[in-house]
Amino acid sequence: RIPLYPLSNYTFATKEIQHEEDHSVRERLQRLQDDYEKHGIRKSVEAIILVHEHSHPHVLMLQIGNSFFKLPGDYLSPEQADERVGLKEKLNMKLSPERKTENGIFYEDGDDWVIGECLAQWWRPNFETFFYPYIPAHVTQPKEIKKIFLVHMPPKKALSVPRNMKLLAGPLLEFYENVSRFG
C-alpha cells in the first residue's frame, strides 16, 4: 500500500535559479560522450513522487521552460555507489529549502525523503536520445542506465523550487498515451 497525502499538506517556496548544464540536446549528448570516455557508463536516478488531489493520484514533476517536463533527479557522480543516497542528494538540491551562510548555500537535510522501490530501469545504448527498458542484444556497452524510484512523501513537507522551474502535479491519467507532451 502506498500512502498518498493531499497536495495541500505541502508548502511551496522558490529558491535561487539552477541552470541546466546544457543549452541543447546536442550539447547534452556530447557531454555524455565525453563523460563516458572518462568514467564509463553514466548512472542516473529519478523520483516518482505521488500526491493526492481531486480524488486522484498526481505525479510531481519539474517544468523547465514552456514545454520540457522531467522527474526530479539527475545523473550521479562516478564515485556515488549508493543510488538511493544519491537520489536523496539530488532531491535535496532540487526541492529542499536552502540556507545561506557565510560559507555559501546549503540545502536543508532531507532525511524525511523515503526512497522506495525501484519501479523502472532504462538503458541508453548509444549517444542518442533513446532509452529502452532492456539492453538491446547487439549492445555490449550501454552508455547510461537510468533508475526510477518511488519516493514516499511524509505527511507534511516544505518544498522549494528553483525560480527557473515550476513544480507541477500532473494527474496520473494524463500520462497515459501522452508521449507528445511528457516524453
Side-chain angles (χ1 to χ4, degrees):
R1 180 160 192 219
I2 300 170
L4 296 182
Y5 301 102
L7 185 61
S8 59
N9 280 21
Y10 305 102
T11 57
F12 300 93
T14 59
K15 61 183 176 182
E16 293 297 318
I17 290 174
Q18 291 181 2
H19 295 285
E20 291 293 306
E21 291 183 68
D22 308 301
H23 299 291
S24 69
V25 173
R26 186 173 179 217
E27 284 181 24
R28 183 169 12 114
L29 293 174
Q30 183 60 53
R31 187 167 49 84
L32 172 65
Q33 187 169 356
D34 295 345
D35 289 350
Y36 180 81
E37 290 169 7
K38 290 179 195 166
H39 307 289
I41 189 170
R42 174 184 282 175
K43 294 186 287 184
S44 298
V45 290
E46 292 182 346
I48 292 184
I49 302 172
L50 296 174
V51 295
H52 198 263
E53 185 73 4
H54 304 298
S55 301
H56 194 73
H58 285 56
V59 177
L60 294 183
M61 62 190 148
L62 294 167
Q63 181 181 0
I64 303 166
N66 291 327
S67 60
F68 184 70
F69 298 91
K70 70 185 234 178
L71 295 172
D74 211 339
Y75 65 90
L76 300 176
S77 68
E79 304 83 37
Q80 180 61 265
D82 188 329
E83 292 145 345
R84 284 175 163 77
V85 170
L87 181 55
K88 275 188 180 186
E89 290 172 4
K90 298 303 177 183
L91 290 173
N92 285 336
M93 273 183 38
K94 289 285 186 204
L95 297 176
S96 288
E98 60 189 16
R99 292 182 288 121
K100 293 182 183 178
T101 66
E102 293 175 3
N103 298 328
I105 295 175
F106 294 93
Y107 301 101
E108 288 188 11
D109 189 18
D111 265 352
D112 52 356
W113 297 113
V114 178
I115 310 300
E117 301 78 10
C118 180
L119 299 177
Q121 185 168 279
W122 293 84
W123 299 90
R124 186 191 305 261
N126 302 307
F127 300 113
E128 298 171 350
T129 57
F130 304 109
F131 277 92
Y132 298 92
Y134 56 88
I135 301 174
H138 67 282
V139 174
T140 57
Q141 295 181 322
K143 308 310 181 227
E144 183 174 1
I145 179 173
K146 180 182 290 191
K147 291 187 178 182
I148 301 174
F149 291 90
L150 180 63
V151 175
H152 302 278
M153 289 290 281
K156 296 190 180 299
K157 185 167 180 63
L159 300 171
S160 290
V161 183
R163 283 197 305 261
N164 58 322
M165 300 177 192
K166 293 178 187 173
L167 187 65
L168 301 177
L172 197 56
L173 62 95
E174 281 193 28
F175 291 92
Y176 183 71
E177 291 187 358
N178 205 348
V179 173
S180 61
R181 181 165 184 201
F182 297 111

